Amino acid sequence: MFIKKHLVLIFMLSFAHAAFADDGYRLWLRYDKIQDKNTAALYTKQLQQLLFPGSSATIEKVKAELTEAFTGLLGKPPVGTKQVTANGTLIIGTPATAKIIATLQPTELNQINDEGFVILTAILQGKTCTVISAKTDIGILYGTFHFLRLLQTQQNISTLHIVSSPKIKFRLLNHWDNLNRTVERGYAGISIWDWHKLPDYIDKRYIDYARANASIGINGTVLTNVNANATILSPQYLVKVAALANVFRPYGIKVFLTARFSAPIEIGGLKTADPLDAAVQAWWKQKVKEIYTLIPDFGGFLIKANSEGQPGPQDYHRTHADGANMFADALATYNGIVLWRAFVYSSQSGDRFKQAYEEFTPLDGQFKSNVILQVKNGPIDFQPREPFSPLFGAMPKTPLAMEFQLTQEYLGQGTHLVFEAPLFKEVFNADTYQKGKGSTVAKIIDGSTNNFSLTAIAGVSNIGNDINWCSHPFAQANWYALGRLAWDYDLSSKQIAEEWLQQTFSNNAFFVSAAYNIMLHSHEALVNYMTPLGLAHIMYNGHHYGPMPWGNTLGRPDWNPVYYHKADSAGIGFNRTATGSNALAEYKTEVSDLWSDSNTCADKYLLWFHHVSWNHTMRSGKTLWNELCYKYYTGVDSVIAIQQQWNTLEKFVDAERFNQVQQLLNIQVKEAVWWRNASLLYFQTFSKMPIPSKYEQPDKTLEYYKSLRFPFAPGN
Ligand code: GCU
């Protein structure tokens, strides 16, 4: 009897545990039952019935989402009504579909754009109602997701007055996914696009991908790698692309493709891909027509040309503008756009920092109106920290899109917890001074500085087919942050982190505040243990996993870490002042003045712009060498603090994700120590100074770190 009872208990316990396990698949759309009884009771009262007329593919998706959300959060689906018969009626519709909203005539609708929405508390027919309205069904979709976010984060919904429109027109994910399903710089499994089974097999993931994106306002996806394969443009593949576009359309998501510049040769049988050649132009026009026949709302092309071996117009002695404009002409009839990438650096010697500027600023004003230049946030390549790309302040006649990297190629890849919103905000808030003070990067990107309506923000996706999409449970937050900031770059990192935590993990106030603290400090911690004080690109060659500041064997100087840090017996750092490469001259003087003097330049950018002697006195009063040691040690200490903080949160998190994060933090601590020790031991060969004795000394030799090899590091 005792044994039997015992077994029942064990069974019950394990069942209870399983009920709380969470594999992370549902992302921030979990809709778990609201535990707080008062809130649940209040919401039930405030949401007694749902008046939701109209029907369209999008509206059907909204209704399905509401049913799922209400059933989960409140235990039952919404009760439909045709009239307002009770307090607590949720009314959803455009004035065209919902007559009752037309009678209300909310003036707020005049303040939003076509994707915007309003959420208002109103008295209608004597009853207190909540109204979600918009000009379009897509606006309704966004408004509904916003409302569901309020419920999931348990906000007060009794007096709502929300008027919201996206600040950026194209809010995009860029997948670096290959047709064989490998993902360049992907750390979360293989590509979610199962090309082989498309178009006939629609994986449920495609729908959940669309839901997740729509919930944060992402409205476009580039399906294929910038290092492009022309096969995607073949008829066989275009029907597969069309099948995905059909899934995404009701969610307001447009499909884009990368176009390989040499496709007319590779799949068109032409002898050239010269953008000024009439046959080439005709080929692209025909190809674009074929695409729009299959996908009437196709978004356009993203193109990497004459960069890292990709073909491009310069192969024919034409300019980037010649190349981009050829695509622009073909797409213009259909309102398609060209996202032309500015990530170029030729093999000519010189400072790589300067090259995009040198190639593109002479072309300012030469691009057709449906071309937008997509610029990485910094001048080099998604380093842990970079100053903003000088292009943002230097192309007043060309719309510029922001490209951030969500996949953590240089940010600890699959194993490090790094919340990128503070990095994104640092770039948005930087002032280019293009039209005087206040011409922040955000104000360039949103078109307001130079009056452009074509605006875009792209995030290089961190999504793969891992069960939780992004591998590290916290990496989901970067996808989330990209969407939220592309909608409104004024949102704070704090708000984004908190609402993400509440939806993804728990509404418990103690948990949210502690986990937010972890997220807030995570980026700076990584900068400190990898590339403090403005160091950059000292990662291992090729796969970029781990430190390799000694790397100097690759064919081109700018592929080698030693090119970036320039450490020698005199000091460390890249002199980009007038006595060096003078890259600083690419910024407005108000900006270059901030950085051109090594005594006043912010510590975080110091080695980006100066070759500084090991004895240089820093703001802190320490020598540069001691400051470097301090930063590396602080970085490791911060991760240990993060690890300790996470360990106090066990009772708030399901066992599955708690353990995942715990194990990943253990790896992160080890790797942070590796980064610190390898880097300091190497730089010490030049400084010839001791690591201050108060610090725990490296327990391995530089030779040991140099001997490490990772032939199968992922993402390469
Ligand atoms: C980086 C990255 C490449 C990528 C390139 C790009 O260099 O390592 O994998 O192709 O950026 O953005 O085009």
Side-chain angles (χ1 to χ4, degrees), residues 176 184-185 227 304 308 341 343 376 381 409 544:
W176 286 359
E184 183 153 345
R185 311 310 178 181
N227 296 320
K304 171 175 177 177
E308 299 185 328
R341 291 180 87 230
F343 177 68
K376 288 188 183 181
D381 191 10
E409 176 179 0
H544 297 156

Side-chain angles (χ1 to χ4, degrees), residues 267-335:
I267 58 166
L270 300 188
K271 293 242 153 26
T272 174
D274 181 348
L276 299 192
D277 182 284
V280 172
Q281 293 172 351
W283 188 86
W284 280 112
K285 284 210 163 114
Q286 186 53 38
K287 185 49 71 185
V288 166
K289 188 172 166 199
E290 186 187 336
I291 296 175
Y292 278 92
T293 310
L294 290 166
I295 310 164
D297 55 351
F298 179 67
F301 291 131
L302 169 67
I303 299 155
K304 171 175 177 177
N306 293 122
S307 165
E308 299 185 328
Q310 293 298 303
Q314 292 172 349
D315 303 351
Y316 306 94
H317 308 289
R318 312 296 184 197
T319 67
H320 283 286
D322 294 329
N325 290 343
M326 169 186 68
F327 290 102
D329 284 338
L331 289 160
T333 335
Y334 311 95
N335 291 324

Side-chain angles (χ1 to χ4, degrees), residues 2 32 110 118 169 194 247 320 329 332 335 414 434 438 447 486 498 518 533 536 564 614 636 649 653 657 671 705:
F2 171 78
D32 279 347
N110 303 328
V118 303
K169 193 163 174 193
D194 190 348
V247 174
H320 283 286
D329 284 338
N335 291 324
Q434 188 188 86
E498 286 181 349
I518 287 176
L533 300 177
Y564 293 94
W614 298 110
V636 171
L649 299 179
V653 183
R657 288 183 300 169
E671 294 190 349
Y705 291 116

Side-chain angles (χ1 to χ4, degrees), residues 520-572:
L520 175 71
H521 293 108
S522 59
H523 173 245
E524 203 63 43
L526 173 123
V527 171
N528 285 337
Y529 64 71
M530 278 192 184
T531 53
L533 300 177
L535 287 171
H537 223 306
I538 55 174
M539 293 74 191
Y540 213 99
N541 289 334
H543 52 59
H544 297 156
Y545 169 70
M548 196 199 205
W550 48 85
N552 69 351
T553 52
L554 294 185
R556 272 173 59 170
D558 55 1
W559 286 345
N560 289 306
V562 296
Y563 166 91
Y564 293 94
H565 62 68
K566 303 224 179 301
D568 56 20
S569 58
I572 182 171

